[in-house]
Amino acid sequence: MVKITIDGSEHEVEAGITILQACEQVGIEIPRFCYHERLSIAGNCRMCLVDMERSPKPVASCAMPVADGMVVNTNTSEVQKMRKGVMEFLLINHPLDCPICDQGGECDLQDQAMGYGIDHSRYAENKRAVKDKDFGPLIKTIMTRCIHCTRCVRFATEVAGVPELGATGRGESTEIGTYVQHALTSELSGNMIDLCPVGALTSRPYAFAARPWELVKTESVDVLDAVGSNIRVDARGPEVMRILPRLNEDVNEEWISDKSRFACDGLRRQRLDRPYIRRGGKLQAASWDDAFHAIAEVVDHAPSEAMAAIAGDLADCESMLALKDLMTALGSANIDCRQDGAQLDTRVRSSYLFNTTIAGIEQADAMVLVGCNPRLEAPVLNARIRKRWVAGGFTVGVIGVEADLTYPTTLVGTSAKDLELIAAGKGDFAKILKNAKRAMIVVGQGALTGKDGSVVLNLARQAAEELGMVKAGWNGFNVLHTAAARVGGLDLGFVPGEGGRDVAGIMAGAQSGAIKMVYLLGADEIDTQALGEAFVIYQGHHGDAAAHRADVILPGAAYTEKNATYVNTEGRVQLGRRAIFPPGEAREDWTIIRALSAILGKTLPYDDLKAVRAKLVETNANFLNIDQTMPAEWRDFGAKGSVSDTPFASPIYNFYMTDPISRASETMAHCSEVLGKSDRGL
């Protein structure tokens, strides 16, 4: 700790921090544009100038570390004069377009000009105009507003790991742009919009759609991947206008992926807003009663072992609990939430969690990725891995397909055979993991969906144990999920009961005629053509693949339209909150299943959300721990056996088309067309 005098008062602050950070700690505001706590220090804007004793000229507080005995003045007449001068300089070429700027009401420049600027300009010459740049389908540019703070450049280079932005020219001719004219390829590019302090970068899909004071803001969580990024849903009337990140240091920091941010236009397209029944080979609109009685007629004539249910990747815990309870009441054990067929051992919670936690990545010193591409499967988590690599002393190995993950990797192998060698402690990379103090193994769904998935899981466990990844205070065994519903479904036990069929068994049974009725709870990623002649009930919010195959459609609510519980890949229980109401006759999912249960004569024992969540806790006590990660018991899991030499591959080939919402989004379709091609080498 060092003692420093700020504005006449002595304070004790942490050694090594900057004057700006010290001032913030003691409650003194220092204006800034270029400084950002998650980016390197640039010192470009000079807005943070302060007086420092014994210094011949003002110092940039963002770049000056504190020292014992330092005397700083932040609010003298001289400092105020300097701030006004800097602001006047920055605004020389800034257009007078506040009323029409999309940043209106949320602009750092506007706020700081009011607080620290002057009411006139001495500049009488012609203003400079800069041609707008094409950054792709997501970011709209108005480069005349740019003040060269370089936040976007530093984010792209340091956080996203895609160094496509930079400054060209000198002095008056300096411009920010791509070195080669093409769209930005980062899956995190939308965060530059939040970082830009002057409205030079704004959201292209949201351009001129609404003003911030018109929007109702709701805190929720993202479900388009398994990270569970904390988000804010901004809605106007019945429509979600935009989605922004919320700060959560343990999960997403202050970033979200482009899909989480921009796929929201898919929420208003291809929606299911009323029940449908297939009559004469065609789906026809029907009433809720007609739809329920059509289901009841099938259930009445089908034996319990001939009924099955599959939960999709976006399902919430309340609806999965209700469907599980209904199927149990009907006497069926044919239920599964693993629609991709991942062979996860549901008996041991630590076998399907990201045990290290997302924030725990920053404590690791070596990592091996098995059958996953975190850049496509979890971009925010991948940014955390890159952050650890940037800090230094971190090695990443890959077993699978080599790809550009935004940080250097070592190709250790391609298949389960190579994982077998690692588990046996053989090879150079095994030695690196063995010698590391806190090593990690991350197993992706691409490694677990094959026929030998359970054996791969066992090998990964062996590797973690043999190489010292699991010890007191550290669990380096991790499973990276791609589905927001997966961990919650496993925690609930939405898996086959005794003698029950898994997804593969259900599909085989449907083809053979052994399964007469299949209930799909938002399950769109299965091969619907393999359902044979089975009676298919589809409950969901979009008219995606499964809805086209359905015999009865029950319109449900999307994640922005219900109060729901989700569990992310690290086992963190989070609450999503309703921002808007479902369209038309659509209803919250658990209420649909509850109403259906009454028609079937198997009434479920809960009538409100509070009662459902009480049953969740009764089913698994982990649901009590909201926004917490709890260490899971470590014991044997997986199966022994032989493995193949088939190369692992990530289950995601097109980042922008992974779920019904993103597939309905025009913005994501445009991104897929421009950026999502396989020749990007991702």
Side-chain angles (χ1 to χ4, degrees):
M1 303 294 282
V2 299
K3 288 184 179 179
I4 178 175
T5 302
I6 306 175
D7 293 343
S9 300
E10 190 175 78
H11 302 278
E12 209 171 65
V13 297
E14 185 182 346
I17 66 173
T18 63
I19 294 176
L20 188 150
Q21 292 169 321
C23 290
E24 284 194 336
Q25 286 184 10
V26 302
I28 297 172
E29 183 182 69
I30 303 290
R32 86 295 301 264
F33 289 112
C34 69
Y35 174 80
H36 192 278
E37 57 270 17
R38 301 190 195 275
L39 304 175
S40 62
I41 294 169
N44 291 335
C45 71
R46 320 307 289 181
M47 193 65 196
C48 66
L49 292 173
V50 296
D51 271 334
M52 187 176 73
E53 195 176 73
R54 296 192 297 273
S55 174
K57 57 183 181 180
V59 299
S61 61
C62 69
M64 178 62 69
V66 296
D68 202 38
M70 182 180 280
V71 179
V72 175
N73 291 301
T74 70
N75 202 29
T76 63
S77 58
E78 190 65 25
V79 170
Q80 292 176 7
K81 185 179 178 182
M82 289 186 295
R83 290 171 179 172
K84 289 178 179 180
V86 170
M87 184 67 72
E88 186 181 4
F89 177 75
L90 293 176
L91 293 176
I92 280 176
N93 293 302
H94 196 92
L96 303 176
D97 59 353
C98 287
I100 63 159
C101 176
D102 256 6
Q103 286 278 76
E106 299 176 321
C107 179
D108 288 343
L109 178 64
Q110 197 176 54
D111 294 341
Q112 294 195 49
M114 290 292 292
Y116 304 101
I118 56 177
D119 60 354
H120 65 280
S121 173
R122 293 167 290 181
Y123 189 78
E125 289 74 16
N126 291 329
K127 292 195 173 189
R128 181 180 70 127
V130 182
K131 185 179 178 182
D132 293 342
K133 307 295 193 299
D134 185 7
F135 285 1
L138 301 178
I139 299 177
K140 179 182 176 66
T141 63
I142 307 94
M143 299 310 294
T144 300
R145 299 173 185 165
C146 180
I147 62 170
H148 306 150
C149 72
T150 69
R151 279 188 178 185
C152 56
V153 177
R154 285 175 283 150
F155 175 85
T157 304
E158 298 165 12
V159 179
V162 184
E164 298 172 320
L165 285 178
T168 55
R170 298 183 66 187
E172 177 79 0
S173 301
T174 301
E175 294 185 19
I176 301 292
T178 52
Y179 300 109
V180 179
Q181 195 64 247
H182 65 76
L184 299 178
T185 60
S186 171
E187 295 78 20
L188 298 167
S189 65
N191 294 289
M192 298 179 195
I193 298 167
D194 299 333
L195 288 173
C196 182
V198 296
L201 308 179
T202 57
S203 171
R204 189 180 291 278
Y206 177 72
F208 307 113
R211 289 298 196 189
W213 53 84
E214 301 173 332
L215 306 175
V216 177
K217 303 167 179 66
T218 307
E219 295 184 348
S220 190
V221 291
D222 174 56
V223 302
L224 302 188
D225 60 30
V227 174
S229 298
N230 286 217
I231 59 173
R232 194 188 83 194
V233 182
D234 288 0
R236 183 177 63 187
E239 185 177 347
V240 173
M241 303 302 296
R242 65 178 180 179
I243 288 177
L244 299 175
R246 274 192 303 124
L247 180 68
N248 189 322
E249 296 288 358
D250 294 328
V251 182
N252 58 304
E253 297 183 290
E254 59 184 86
W255 319 124
I256 55 172
S257 73
D258 287 349
K259 182 168 57 181
S260 302
R261 184 187 295 267
F262 294 110
C264 58
D265 65 322
L267 290 166
R268 56 180 182 268
R269 296 184 175 89
Q270 295 180 226
R271 291 302 303 272
L272 301 172
D273 59 356
R274 65 189 68 182
Y276 288 87
I277 299 175
R278 190 174 297 276
R279 297 187 177 106
K282 293 184 178 181
L283 287 168
Q284 298 178 2
S287 67
W288 279 104
D289 279 346
D290 288 345
F292 285 159
H293 283 98
I295 296 170
E297 188 175 344
V298 174
V299 170
D300 287 343
H301 293 88
S304 58
E305 64 273 11
M307 295 183 282
I310 302 173
D313 292 349
L314 307 185
D316 59 274
C317 294
E318 287 85 355
S319 61
M320 286 189 287
L321 173 70
L323 184 54
K324 177 194 173 186
D325 288 349
L326 177 60
M327 297 303 292
T328 301
L330 293 172
S332 175
N334 305 321
I335 59 173
D336 205 349
C337 63
R338 302 161 296 179
Q339 60 173 338
D340 57 2
Q343 297 186 37
L344 297 158
D345 194 331
T346 59
R347 299 168 301 168
V348 184
R349 193 167 192 253
S350 58
S351 72
Y352 57 82
L353 293 186
F354 201 94
N355 293 285
T356 303
T357 72
I358 297 171
I361 293 171
E362 298 185 29
Q363 302 174 31
D365 50 5
M367 173 187 288
V368 60
L369 302 170
V370 182
C372 65
N373 182 333
R375 181 174 176 182
L376 298 183
E377 297 169 26
V380 174
L381 185 144
N382 192 63
R384 189 82 72 149
I385 298 174
R386 174 176 168 80
K387 180 181 180 182
R388 176 61 189 91
W389 172 78
V390 169
F394 187 62
T395 307
V396 182
V398 171
I399 300 178
V401 179
E402 200 169 19
D404 179 10
L405 300 180
T406 71
Y407 42 85
T409 58
T410 301
L411 186 62
V412 181
T414 60
S415 68
K417 292 286 188 183
D418 300 293
L419 177 61
E420 200 169 32
L421 294 175
I422 292 283
K426 299 177 180 178
D428 293 338
F429 204 84
K431 293 177 182 175
I432 292 173
L433 295 171
K434 184 79 171 176
N435 295 328
K437 291 181 179 179
R438 292 188 170 185
M440 294 175 59
I441 184 170
V442 180
V443 185
Q445 302 306 291
L448 300 174
T449 50
K451 293 181 179 179
D452 56 355
S454 59
V455 182
V456 171
L457 190 68
N458 181 56
L459 287 174
R461 177 189 59 80
Q462 288 182 27
E465 292 175 346
E466 292 298 322
L467 301 176
M469 299 183 194
V470 181
K471 51 192 172 185
W474 180 256
N475 188 337
F477 178 87
N478 304 284
V479 173
L480 178 59
H481 292 280
T482 56
R486 188 64 47 83
V487 175
L490 297 174
D491 280 351
L492 285 170
F494 200 98
V495 292
E498 187 175 350
R501 296 172 181 259
D502 60 8
V503 165
I506 293 170
M507 305 300 279
Q511 286 188 308
S512 67
I515 296 294
K516 305 292 186 183
M517 187 269 287
V518 181
Y519 199 122
L520 300 179
L521 182 62
D524 290 283
E525 314 308 321
I526 60 172
D527 181 10
T528 56
Q529 299 305 312
L531 292 172
E533 299 299 316
F535 185 85
V536 177
I537 305 160
Y538 178 75
Q539 180 177 329
H541 41 76
H542 276 76
D544 209 64
H548 292 279
R549 170 61 182 83
D551 295 290
V552 174
I553 294 175
L554 306 176
Y559 72 105
T560 56
E561 298 159 3
K562 56 188 173 183
N563 296 306
T565 305
Y566 301 93
V567 188
N568 77 348
T569 192
E570 58 181 353
R572 184 184 300 272
V573 179
Q574 300 188 110
L575 301 179
R577 292 181 174 85
R578 183 174 61 207
I580 58 174
F581 288 93
E585 297 178 40
R587 296 292 182 267
E588 292 192 24
D589 291 280
W590 77 265
T591 64
I592 296 172
I593 299 167
R594 168 63 177 79
L596 175 61
S597 71
I599 299 295
L600 298 178
K602 306 289 184 182
T603 305
L604 298 177
Y606 30 77
D607 296 316
D608 55 31
L609 186 61
K610 185 178 179 181
V612 179
R613 288 180 171 170
K615 184 66 184 296
L616 276 177
V617 174
E618 184 183 325
T619 305
N620 192 323
N622 284 303
F623 287 101
L624 274 174
N625 306 312
I626 305 298
D627 200 30
Q628 297 178 49
T629 54
M630 306 301 294
E633 182 187 3
W634 183 261
R635 62 177 195 269
D636 285 357
F637 53 81
K640 295 182 179 179
S642 59
V643 291
S644 72
D645 57 359
T646 305
F648 293 141
S650 170
I652 295 178
Y653 301 100
N654 187 341
F655 169 72
Y656 303 100
M657 294 282 161
T658 58
D659 56 86
I661 297 173
S662 59
R663 287 192 287 268
S665 166
E666 288 185 351
T667 304
M668 293 297 97
H670 196 186
C671 288
S672 181
E673 181 184 353
V674 176
L675 303 169
K677 298 178 181 175
S678 58
D679 61 2
R680 288 172 57 194
L682 299 181

